[in-house]
């Protein structure tokens, strides 16, 4: 018995493609909101923009139940180890979205207390720049994230257990070195 007859439509796929499609439309996000960008982040959930149509409308407030970390707002050196811990508690596969210019590059803060981009702490998959980014930009970033999820792409991790690089102690040292460098440039 033949499964497909000539002239009839028939569906074939791989398990990887099916899992990518399912993950693409079931984004469980963990919002790590620290500053003013939080208002724009919240506005994307309103009926006018409706991120629920992308499968991302229900945020989780436990890192163990989420697969996308939205880092929204300014991250200070004191908060960096906490962010790394939250990231480490998330299950694989996981993705990170840097939301706002302060998260992406440190923004207009050029001081000793602010991390100049979270990509020195955790790997970032999607950058959404803006001060604050418009909801349309957030939706565009979400669609780009869905493309990465569909393909199964992830940013590379910074922590390699063989070399012991990327441990929380190393992150604290990186933040301290950045602080010393900035204080030295002031004098």
């Amino acid at each position: 018995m033949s499964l497909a007859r000539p002239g009839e439509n028939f569906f074939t796929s791989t398990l990887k493609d099916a899992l990518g499609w399912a993950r693409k439309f079931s984004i469980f996000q963990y919002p790590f909101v620290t500053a003013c960008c939080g208002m724009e982040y919240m506005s994307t959930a309103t009926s006018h923009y409706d991120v629920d149509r992308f499968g991302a409308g229900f945020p989780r407030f436990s890192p163990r139940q989420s697969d996308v970390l939205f880092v929204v707002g300014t991250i200070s050196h004191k908060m960096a180890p906490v962010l790394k811990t939250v990231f480490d508690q998330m299950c694989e596969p996981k993705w990170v979205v840097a939301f706002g210019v302060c998260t992406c590059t440190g923004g207009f803060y050029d001081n000793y207390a602010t991390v100049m981009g979270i990509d020195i702490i955790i790997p970032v998959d999607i950058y959404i720049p803006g001060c604050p980014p418009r909801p349309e930009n957030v939706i565009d970033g979400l669609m780009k994230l869905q493309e990465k999820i569909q393909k199964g792409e992830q940013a590379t991790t910074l922590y390699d257990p063989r070399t012991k690089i990327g441990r929380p102690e190393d992150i604290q040292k990186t933040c301290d070195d950045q602080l010393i460098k900035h204080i030295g440039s002031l004098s």
Side-chain angles (χ1 to χ4, degrees):
M1 184 174 138
S2 174
L3 293 177
R5 295 186 184 127
E8 289 184 8
N9 293 331
F10 137 163
F11 178 74
T12 152
S13 183
T14 63
L15 181 60
K16 180 183 174 191
D17 291 339
L19 284 175
W21 179 84
R23 284 184 179 135
K24 173 182 176 177
F25 289 110
S26 61
I27 297 173
F28 295 109
Q29 52 184 319
Y30 179 89
F32 195 86
V33 181
T34 61
C36 50
C37 284
M39 299 304 134
E40 289 296 319
Y41 170 76
M42 287 186 277
S43 70
T44 60
T46 62
S47 59
H48 186 73
Y49 298 104
D50 190 25
V51 294
D52 199 25
R53 63 190 157 145
F54 299 104
F58 191 61
R60 303 292 181 160
F61 294 101
S62 168
R64 291 179 181 91
Q65 296 176 347
S66 58
D67 53 7
V68 177
L69 177 62
F70 267 82
V71 183
V72 182
T74 311
I75 302 297
S76 66
H77 288 289
K78 201 171 197 177
M79 206 178 307
V82 175
L83 177 62
K84 177 67 173 156
T85 302
V86 167
F87 176 77
D88 289 341
Q89 289 177 354
M90 293 173 64
C91 296
E92 291 287 340
K94 55 188 169 185
W95 296 271
V96 176
V97 176
F99 187 105
V101 73
C102 294
T103 309
C104 296
T105 64
F108 54 84
Y109 297 106
D110 186 20
N111 61 26
Y112 64 91
T114 305
V115 174
M116 297 297 151
I118 64 164
D119 50 3
I120 64 168
I121 303 165
I122 56 177
V124 176
D125 293 287
I126 299 292
Y127 294 91
I128 303 175
C131 185
R134 298 272 311 140
E136 293 87 357
N137 294 353
V138 177
I139 290 173
D140 182 55
L142 191 60
M143 289 171 28
K144 288 177 181 169
L145 178 66
Q146 281 184 319
E147 290 173 16
K148 283 187 89 164
I149 292 172
Q150 173 76 39
K151 294 175 185 173
E153 298 173 354
Q154 285 181 277
T156 56
T157 59
L158 301 175
Y159 177 65
D160 185 0
R162 293 167 296 195
T163 60
K164 305 290 188 211
I165 296 173
R167 296 176 297 178
E169 307 87 54
D170 298 334
I171 291 168
Q172 187 63 48
K173 183 176 179 338
T174 302
C175 291
D176 291 344
D177 292 345
Q178 203 176 50
L179 172 66
I180 291 167
K181 180 181 173 185
H182 182 75
I183 291 173
S185 69
L186 294 177
S187 45

